[in-house]
Amino acid sequence: MKPSVFADAWEGLRRNKSIAVSVILVTMISLYLLGVGLLAQRQVDQMKGYWYDRVQVSIYMCTDTSAQPNCSTGAATQDQRESVAAQLEEMEPLVKDVYWESEEEAYSRFKQDYKNSPLAGHIRVGDIPPSYRVQLSDPEEFETVASAFEGAPGVASVPNLREVFSPLFRAINIITAVMVGLAVLTLVSAVLLMATTIRQAAFTRRREIAIMKLVGASNRTIRTPFIIETVASGLIGALMAIGLLWVSAWALFDRYLLQENSGTAFISSNDVWVIAPFLLVGVVVLAIGTSTVTLWRYLRV
């Protein structure tokens, strides 16, 4: 590319400082909002993984004191336990992991989980039946496992998790849809705002464009300085947006949420660097595409 093209682009930026600043600010605001949407999506994904890893289906086996109709013959036999274990093994890969929890282990876990509750003093070993604790590769399919073992020989009950987890799954899916919608809406807004700014720049230089066409300049020669100006302004705006995103994430997550809730799955300011390349590449593609399409009407013969 000829040096004069870059010189023309620099001259255009220098003469149209206000328009260049407009593109920078429009890009910064749009990409910042888009970045917020992407970071929020990463937070949703991280929280989804955090909670999904904790979703387990419990298959409680019959004991001598179980009151369920399915336990009228007494405690589950070894054959019945092995049958349940074999059926769970056949349900891989939906069944990710299976852990047998004895009555003693169930009692110890309850005492630990509810150590500050008055209930802890009223529970004895044997009050909580032994169970298979099943972790799923897709927790939203918990009903598949529950329905397969409900009423099976030796199985006392399989708690219905729909009332517990369906609102969680629904909320996660709604938040995901909202974040995707926000990202798309912001992207469209960025295109429209950038196109308006470019159109204004082309209009203010319409006489210059007409003179260049009269002396035989090609559309590519005329268009290239505009594209370089837009890409340069867009990159500056993108870098400012990335810097602002990092400061926001650092202040909100690193300095507050992660300090106050260290055991919860939160993203950090490092996630900004994950999405930064996509923002930079995206703004270059956006600037080139928007400039080319917007300038088309001014370059028609």
Side-chain angles (χ1 to χ4, degrees):
M1 189 176 292
K2 296 180 181 180
S4 61
V5 175
F6 290 100
D8 291 341
W10 171 252
E11 183 64 20
L13 287 172
R14 190 184 65 81
R15 290 191 308 173
N16 299 278
K17 294 185 182 70
S18 60
I19 295 177
V21 171
S22 298
V23 174
I24 291 172
L25 293 178
V26 164
T27 304
M28 182 190 72
I29 294 172
S30 299
L31 290 185
Y32 177 78
L33 293 176
L34 179 59
V36 168
L38 294 176
L39 288 177
Q41 180 60 55
R42 290 183 64 83
Q43 178 61 61
V44 169
D45 291 340
Q46 188 151 328
M47 291 295 290
K48 186 175 182 179
Y50 177 84
W51 286 109
Y52 273 24
D53 285 344
R54 285 155 178 76
V55 174
Q56 292 181 334
V57 177
S58 295
I59 303 174
Y60 291 105
M61 306 302 294
C62 294
T63 65
D64 291 329
T65 58
S66 297
Q68 288 85 350
N70 202 45
C71 299
S72 57
T73 58
T77 65
Q78 185 65 28
D79 288 341
Q80 290 172 336
R81 292 183 179 182
E82 291 177 355
S83 175
V84 171
Q87 190 173 349
L88 286 170
E89 186 175 350
E90 292 175 358
M91 299 183 72
E92 296 178 351
L94 174 58
V95 173
K96 183 178 178 181
D97 191 23
V98 179
Y99 170 69
W100 170 255
E101 185 176 71
S102 65
E103 292 174 311
E104 292 77 11
E105 291 170 331
Y107 171 76
S108 298
R109 180 176 58 82
F110 184 89
K111 293 284 286 186
Q112 178 63 32
D113 292 344
Y114 295 91
K115 58 185 178 181
N116 296 321
S117 172
L119 293 174
H122 300 283
I123 296 295
R124 300 290 180 267
V125 176
D127 290 345
I128 304 176
S131 65
Y132 284 102
R133 300 178 67 81
V134 184
Q135 187 175 11
L136 307 179
S137 57
D138 183 2
E140 294 193 45
E141 296 295 328
F142 62 84
E143 283 198 6
T144 302
V145 176
S147 60
F149 293 97
E150 189 68 47
V155 175
S157 64
V158 183
N160 184 4
L161 302 180
R162 171 174 290 277
E163 295 181 358
V164 178
F165 292 113
S166 286
L168 172 64
F169 296 146
R170 186 163 53 251
I172 288 175
N173 291 333
I174 290 174
I175 294 174
T176 300
V178 169
M179 291 302 102
V180 172
L182 176 62
V184 172
L185 182 61
T186 305
L187 186 62
V188 172
S189 300
V191 171
L192 294 177
L193 291 171
M194 190 175 289
T196 301
T197 307
I198 295 170
R199 191 178 297 112
Q200 180 182 356
F203 180 78
T204 59
R205 294 158 66 178
R206 62 190 182 280
R207 180 172 298 181
E208 177 184 333
I209 294 175
I211 293 173
M212 292 178 69
K213 292 185 70 67
L214 286 175
V215 299
S218 65
N219 286 347
R220 180 182 178 183
T221 301
I222 299 172
R223 187 188 302 120
T224 301
F226 282 96
I227 294 177
I228 294 175
E229 293 174 32
T230 308
V231 169
S233 301
L235 285 175
I236 294 173
L239 292 173
M240 293 173 64
I242 291 170
L244 189 57
L245 279 171
W246 185 87
V247 171
S248 300
W250 176 81
L252 178 61
F253 294 103
D254 295 18
R255 299 295 296 173
Y256 178 65
L257 292 177
L258 288 172
Q259 298 293 331
E260 298 293 329
N261 305 276
S262 57
T264 308
F266 285 113
I267 61 174
S268 69
S269 58
N270 290 331
D271 286 79
V272 174
W273 308 124
V274 176
I275 68 172
F278 297 98
L279 295 178
L280 292 173
V281 173
V283 78
V284 171
V285 173
L286 188 67
I288 294 175
T290 305
S291 299
T292 302
V293 174
T294 304
L295 292 170
W296 195 267
R297 61 172 294 190
Y298 293 95
L299 302 179
R300 288 181 298 182
V301 179

